């Protein structure tokens, strides 16, 4: 007899301001994924569970942000919830490193036949930019800080690394965590420059990537992924990419903050970043692009930036080079 899965809520790390909240997460059955399992088959099964999710459709949930004030919202058909609205000043509850905590729970839990884990108390966080922040950091994940193999032929390396390698064994590219922590702390070493991780990975891998970032000592930041589209999904395709859309939203949310963009040369980061710079004059201070093994892709990117003068662009072969450049620019 199969054990019935319990219910959970996964709040995603999002971002907002002192007067506007943007909270997001998902209502799901708890698949009881054990990240400590070893061996190709157990790891594959655990990763498969992340994709073969059983969402709690149209769940009614309560979100409590401060002073026991609650917002009731309904998740969508895939279990996603979004609370996007103005709010009175949140300065009284922002942590010293720029995070607002909130609590989310299923409304009327007694009506569910399945047990809810964590006593129906789940905690989320929203990043707020502090006044002393010098700049923001927007970074890709795949092949920028985590060797994934997205640029490999038919993406087979990315598939293997995602499905068959335990997340606890995934290592960050050499020196990247230290570099990001230095950028986060800034030149004074006391700042909390906000970090935004923007990836084309689906939300199904949110916990996987969160464990990777925490386990490799990257600075805590908002994690922005995309909805997983299936073969027969007829939802109209956006005219701009997910990553482009998310980066532009971040810039719009913090109009007085400049940003550093970090990506890689393997896919579309260079083209997206060039377009972002063109549409947002004087907002981007530097671009760092991690090199990839493909000579064809590297030649394309080198040609793209051959006569580029709008902002500093560094093709990063070693993290030491990036750190040296950041010191020269006065970022760290």
């Amino acid at each position: 007899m199969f054990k019935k899965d319990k219910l959970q809520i996964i709040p995603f790390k999002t971002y907002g301001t002192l007067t506007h909240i943007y909270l997001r997460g998902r209502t799901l059955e708890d698949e009881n994924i054990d990240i400590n399992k070893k061996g190709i088959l157990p790891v594959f099964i655990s990763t498969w569970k992340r994709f073969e999710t059983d969402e709690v459709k149209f769940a009614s949930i309560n979100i409590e942000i401060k002073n026991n004030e609650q917002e009731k919202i309904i998740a969508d058909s895939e279990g996603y919830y979004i609370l996007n609205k103005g709010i009175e000043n949140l300065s009284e509850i922002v942590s010293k490193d720029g995070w607002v905590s909130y609590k989310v729970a299923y409304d009327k839990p007694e009506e569910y036949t399945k047990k809810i884990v964590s006593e129906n108390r789940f905690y989320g966080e929203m990043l707020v930019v502090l006044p002393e922040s010098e700049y923001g950091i927007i970074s890709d994940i795949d092949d920028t800080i985590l060797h994934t193999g997205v640029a490999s032929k038919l993406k087979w390396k990315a598939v293997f690394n995602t499905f068959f390698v335990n997340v606890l064994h995934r290592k960050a590219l050499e020196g990247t965590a230290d570099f990001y922590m230095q950028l986060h702390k800034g030149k004074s070493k006391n700042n909390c420059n906000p970090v935004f991780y923007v990836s084309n990975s689906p939300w199904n891998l949110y916990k996987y990537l969160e464990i990777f970032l925490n386990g490799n000592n990257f600075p805590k930041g908002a994690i922005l992924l995309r909805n997983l589209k299936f073969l027969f999904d007829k939802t109209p395709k956006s005219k701009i990419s997910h990553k482009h859309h998310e980066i532009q939203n971040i810039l719009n949310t913090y109009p007085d903050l400049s940003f550093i963009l970090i990506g890689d040369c393997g896919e579309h980061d260079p083209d997206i970043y060039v377009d972002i710079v063109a549409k947002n004059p004087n907002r981007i201070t530097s671009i760092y692009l991690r090199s990839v093994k493909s000579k064809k892709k590297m030649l394309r990117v080198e040609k793209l930036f051959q006569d580029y003068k709008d902002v500093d662009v560094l093709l990063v072969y070693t993290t030491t080079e990036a750190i040296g450049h950041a010191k020269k620019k006065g970022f760290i």
Side-chain angles (χ1 to χ4, degrees):
M1 183 176 180
F2 293 100
K3 184 178 179 180
K4 288 186 177 181
D5 290 329
K6 301 173 183 178
L7 304 186
Q8 64 174 333
I9 300 175
I10 300 179
F12 305 142
K13 285 185 172 67
T14 56
Y15 65 93
T17 70
L18 293 176
T19 57
H20 197 103
I21 55 173
Y22 180 74
L23 310 180
R24 188 170 187 170
R26 199 175 187 189
T27 55
L28 294 167
E29 290 188 6
D30 183 4
E31 300 288 350
N32 195 27
I33 296 173
D34 184 359
I35 63 171
N36 293 304
K37 285 188 175 181
K38 299 179 181 179
I40 289 180
L41 183 58
V43 171
F44 173 79
I45 293 173
S46 293
T47 307
W48 176 254
K49 286 181 178 181
R50 298 184 192 277
F51 285 90
E52 195 278 313
T53 53
D54 293 316
E55 63 274 359
V56 184
K57 299 180 180 181
F58 308 115
S60 177
I61 60 174
N62 290 321
I63 294 180
E64 181 182 318
I65 302 169
K66 62 174 186 174
N67 301 327
N68 295 318
E69 297 176 9
Q70 292 191 349
E71 292 276 351
K72 183 182 293 187
I73 59 174
I74 306 296
D76 66 15
S77 61
E78 295 183 12
Y80 292 106
Y81 71 80
I82 294 177
L83 181 59
N84 183 14
K85 60 172 291 185
I87 193 171
E88 292 184 4
N89 199 308
L90 293 172
S91 57
E92 60 196 48
I93 60 170
V94 176
S95 69
K96 64 179 181 180
D97 53 351
W99 289 90
V100 172
S101 296
Y102 70 94
K103 184 170 69 174
V104 57
Y106 284 98
D107 186 37
K108 299 180 180 178
E110 68 278 359
E111 295 183 358
Y112 291 93
T113 58
K114 295 184 177 181
K115 183 177 179 181
I116 302 172
V117 301
S118 301
E119 298 181 339
N120 196 28
R121 287 197 293 267
F122 304 90
Y123 296 91
E125 292 180 293
M126 183 188 79
L127 177 62
V128 172
V129 173
L130 299 177
E132 60 268 28
S133 297
E134 298 174 310
Y135 52 80
I137 304 102
I138 301 175
S139 174
D140 178 41
I141 296 178
D142 297 333
D143 289 332
T144 299
I145 59 177
L146 169 64
H147 177 63
T148 307
V150 169
S152 64
K153 191 174 182 180
L154 300 180
K155 304 187 187 299
W156 69 268
K157 287 184 178 178
V159 172
F160 180 84
N161 286 326
T162 300
F163 279 90
F164 296 103
V165 181
N166 188 305
V167 64
L168 299 178
H169 297 158
R170 302 291 296 275
K171 300 298 182 184
L173 294 179
E174 180 270 328
T176 51
D178 176 59
F179 178 44
Y180 280 48
M181 191 60 74
Q182 289 191 55
L183 290 174
H184 173 59
K185 293 182 178 179
K187 191 171 183 179
S188 70
K189 298 183 180 180
N190 292 315
N191 281 352
C192 287
N193 296 322
V195 183
F196 305 83
Y197 299 100
V198 182
S199 172
N200 279 326
S201 293
W203 285 111
N204 305 64
L205 291 177
Y206 175 82
K207 293 300 294 183
Y208 186 98
L209 294 175
E210 185 181 47
I211 291 169
F212 165 78
L213 292 168
N214 292 341
N216 286 277
N217 299 314
F218 280 90
K220 185 165 69 171
I223 301 175
L224 308 167
L225 309 181
R226 66 175 178 86
N227 289 350
L228 183 63
K229 293 198 69 167
F230 295 97
L231 183 62
F232 300 106
D233 190 340
K234 295 182 180 180
T235 304
K237 188 175 181 180
S238 174
K239 293 182 180 180
I240 62 173
S241 70
H242 153 74
K243 190 176 293 184
H244 192 298
H245 174 75
E246 292 291 356
I247 293 173
Q248 189 60 61
N249 276 350
I250 295 169
L251 267 65
N252 292 344
T253 302
Y254 309 110
D256 299 322
L257 193 67
S258 61
F259 286 86
I260 296 169
L261 303 181
I262 309 177
D264 65 83
C265 298
E267 295 266 286
H268 304 296
D269 289 351
D271 307 279
I272 293 172
Y273 292 177
V274 165
D275 194 54
I276 288 291
V277 170
K279 292 178 178 176
N280 300 272
N282 305 314
R283 297 293 309 281
I284 308 302
T285 57
S286 284
I287 296 173
Y288 295 96
L289 293 168
R290 173 74 62 173
S291 64
V292 294
K293 291 184 179 180
S294 170
K295 291 183 179 180
K296 182 179 179 180
K297 293 179 184 293
M298 289 303 298
L299 286 173
R300 185 190 81 84
V301 174
E302 289 171 3
K303 184 176 181 180
L304 178 65
F305 291 107
Q306 188 172 6
D307 300 311
Y308 191 73
K309 304 295 182 183
D310 291 6
V311 301
D312 272 7
V313 178
L314 181 69
L315 302 188
V316 180
Y317 292 88
T318 69
T319 306
T320 302
E321 295 173 325
I323 292 174
H325 179 274
K327 287 181 178 179
K328 184 178 178 181
K329 293 284 291 185
F331 300 146
I332 59 178

